[in-house]
Amino acid sequence: MPTLIREAPLSEAPAAPSAGRTGGMLPSLTGMRWAAAFLVFAFHTYKFGYYGPEDEKLVAWATRSGSVGVMFFFVLSGFVLTWSARPKDRFFSFFRRRLARIYPIHVVTAVVALALAFTVLPWLRDGERAAPEAIAANLLLVSSWKFEWWQAANPVSWSLVCEAFFYACFPLLYAVLRRVGPKVLTAVAVLCVLTVVYQPDVYKALHIDVFFYSFPLARLPEFILGVAVARLVQLGKWRGPGLEGAMALTLIGYFVAPLVPGGLSWTPLIGLTFLIAAGAVADIKGEPSMWRRPVLVKLGEWSFAFYMVHLLVMHSLRLWVGDKPKFDTLPAFGLAGLAFAISLALAALLYTYVEEPGRRLVLGKTRLSLRRRR
């Protein structure tokens, strides 16, 4: 989920467009990250049963597709890694930089989750989720490869296992896709969408039993789609709709998804992909973009921490309100607002005191800064 373009905050003005360009700030994509993280949060308020019968149907209609926020992050990850790629980069240097983005918060939230699981939140250790092997696998970012462990430690960290797998695959994917032309890239993008649509049938025919939602290999096409689309944008060959059209497609896909059998797996994918590309193009060309507003960019910078902590907050609130409280309208939305406010406050703290310092520590930049001050 965590994706930042280049190694600096996404707050600089967009550079002038040029075919084949790479790097540069794309603040609209950071603003979109916040929207995706909020969709996941809203979906979980529904799953946690905050809303009573009067509101549940409406809330379900509005939030049931919220899990596609993770799909957005996977496509976005492929896009921004391609956009900021260094053609002569070494694998271990690249992997170290990517882990520096995700690992500090992953470790801190995993420790907090385990402390809660073995004290006041016993449901966080249901099944094999808190087994020593599951915890070790989670800390090593491989737990999602086994279904029983996919929500080990901090439940949302399964997506980081997918991201780590994507990072391992990226150098080879980039080496191949940067050498092909627009027609091949378009074919790859179409093939990725078709793979997302039909892979459940293929796995079933091959008698391969996996949980598609968290299985890293099953989510890889979404990442590759982002890589292919980023290359098309870099080459100046992207021909998708602008921001308004892409937003319309995204909303249609979002609300249609629950109505289509298996739709949550693929229906929003096309709109989300168009939206990411349209946001990048708008930033490159300096066109208007609501996603570039400073408040959205700042929230986007906090979005990874927000995503990583919000479920722990909601599990903790169960101590107070119980499991699936089904409140009336005002108490239900008040509880959702409380969970949101606590999660956002913790996200700001985690970003400031864990994510950014941790990244510098992993990259060795703290020591370098101290030397320069001396």
Side-chain angles (χ1 to χ4, degrees), residues 144-365:
S144 290
W145 290 94
K146 182 176 179 179
F147 170 70
E148 291 79 7
W149 296 350
W150 78 284
Q151 286 193 317
N154 184 2
V156 299
S157 62
W158 69 267
S159 61
L160 302 190
V161 178
C162 294
E163 289 281 1
F165 175 60
F166 301 160
Y167 297 162
C169 295
F170 177 74
L172 179 59
L173 289 170
Y174 181 69
V176 173
L177 293 182
R178 69 185 292 263
R179 287 175 170 81
V180 301
K183 291 183 178 179
V184 175
L185 290 168
T186 302
V188 169
V190 172
L191 181 61
C192 287
V193 175
L194 293 175
T195 301
V196 172
V197 175
Y198 290 109
Q199 69 174 340
D201 297 327
V202 173
Y203 275 54
K204 185 176 180 180
L206 297 175
H207 304 288
I208 300 174
D209 185 20
V210 296
F211 182 47
F212 286 97
Y213 187 71
S214 64
F215 190 56
L217 191 60
R219 306 306 295 258
L220 183 61
E222 298 160 33
F223 177 80
I224 298 175
L225 176 61
V227 175
V229 171
R231 286 295 298 146
L232 287 169
V233 173
Q234 285 179 333
L235 295 172
K237 300 298 183 180
W238 177 253
R239 296 295 180 265
L243 269 176
E244 291 183 357
M247 191 65 196
L249 285 173
T250 301
L251 289 173
I252 291 170
Y254 179 87
F255 288 111
V256 167
L259 308 177
V260 179
L264 284 175
S265 299
W266 63 271
T267 305
L269 182 60
I270 297 174
L272 291 172
T273 303
F274 282 144
L275 185 63
I276 290 169
V281 171
D283 285 347
I284 293 167
K285 295 182 177 180
E287 296 173 348
S289 169
M290 62 168 284
W291 302 105
R292 204 184 301 138
R293 294 175 181 175
V295 64
L296 286 177
V297 173
K298 175 55 67 177
L299 289 171
E301 291 172 355
W302 293 351
S303 62
F304 174 46
F306 180 84
Y307 171 78
M308 291 297 291
V309 78
H310 81 278
L311 211 55
L312 297 180
V313 171
M314 296 173 77
H315 274 297
S316 298
L317 287 175
R318 287 172 61 186
L319 293 171
W320 173 41
V321 300
D323 188 28
K324 296 186 181 299
K326 304 287 186 180
F327 287 140
D328 291 336
T329 302
L330 288 179
F333 283 95
L335 178 59
L338 178 63
F340 174 81
I342 296 173
S343 299
L344 186 62
L346 291 175
L349 293 173
L350 284 170
Y351 176 80
T352 303
Y353 297 107
V354 176
E355 184 174 347
E356 284 297 285
R359 181 179 65 86
R360 291 192 294 268
L361 182 64
V362 172
L363 295 178
K365 292 185 177 181

Side-chain angles (χ1 to χ4, degrees), residues 1 3 33 36-37 40 69-77 163 303:
M1 165 182 174
T3 46
R33 284 175 55 196
V40 176
V70 179
M71 176 185 288
F72 173 90
F73 286 121
F74 290 162
V75 178
L76 180 66
S77 182
E163 289 281 1
S303 62

